[in-house]
Amino acid sequence: MKGWFQRFMSGRYGFDRFSGFLSTCSLIFIVLGALFVPFLYFLGLLLLIYCYFRILSCNIQKRYQENLKYLALEGKVTGWFATRKIRFQQRKEYHYYRCPHCGQQLRVPRGRGKISITCPKCATQFLKKS
Ligand SMILES: [Zn+2]
């Protein structure tokens, strides 16, 4: 039985992070769809079909590229939340400003009165209360 499954899966892409995300989303959609909105139920089924299509696909290179795109997007989202978490933890010691010229994020210590901030990226100077 196990040998049959290994032969069946050889040359196929298999499970990855994107498939995990798709299967989790499809499960949530199916449960929500069964309880509230029937449209979500069918969307969940479509996601599940797409998830199994990816797992059983023989086009490994294309599935790998899809997973890389997903991981880049996931990294952006988790990075955004990680930045917010760090800022929240440091909110009593530091103040965050954005450079008016280039948009660079700048962190300055709190409680120093009105200070001149020099952007390390473009050397623009501006006054802010810290
Ligand atoms: Zn700047």
Side-chain angles (χ1 to χ4, degrees):
M1 184 68 188
K2 192 178 175 188
W4 170 84
F5 189 68
Q6 281 178 339
R7 276 195 306 279
F8 177 71
M9 287 305 287
S10 72
R12 296 181 191 272
Y13 184 65
F15 199 80
D16 62 4
R17 291 277 291 271
F18 188 38
S19 296
F21 174 75
L22 286 174
S23 61
T24 305
C25 281
S26 67
L27 184 71
I28 291 169
F29 284 171
I30 286 171
V31 169
L32 287 178
L35 294 174
F36 305 114
V37 190
F39 167 74
L40 286 179
Y41 183 80
F42 292 107
L43 190 68
L45 284 181
L46 284 176
L47 280 180
L48 197 63
I49 289 168
Y50 181 58
C51 177
Y52 276 98
F53 162 75
R54 290 191 77 251
I55 290 170
L56 300 175
S57 172
C58 292
N59 193 348
I60 291 170
Q61 193 63 37
K62 198 167 181 181
R63 299 292 89 79
Y64 182 73
Q65 293 299 323
E66 288 171 358
N67 190 44
L68 284 182
K69 282 182 188 171
Y70 166 74
L71 289 176
L73 195 69
E74 186 192 69
K76 279 184 186 174
V77 172
T78 56
W80 188 86
F81 281 109
T83 304
R84 293 303 172 280
K85 185 182 174 190
I86 289 170
R87 280 185 179 194
F88 186 76
Q89 287 168 345
Q90 298 178 342
R91 71 191 180 283
K92 287 180 180 165
E93 294 101 46
Y94 296 102
H95 209 105
Y96 288 89
Y97 289 111
R98 197 173 276 277
C99 172
H101 186 250
C102 70
Q104 174 72 31
Q105 292 277 345
L106 303 168
R107 188 183 75 169
V108 294
R110 281 184 181 270
R112 305 278 163 89
K114 199 165 189 175
I115 56 172
S116 172
I117 303 168
T118 306
C119 175
K121 194 175 174 186
C122 68
T124 302
Q125 288 198 336
F126 57 101
L127 290 173
K128 284 284 182 185
K129 188 179 165 220
S130 67

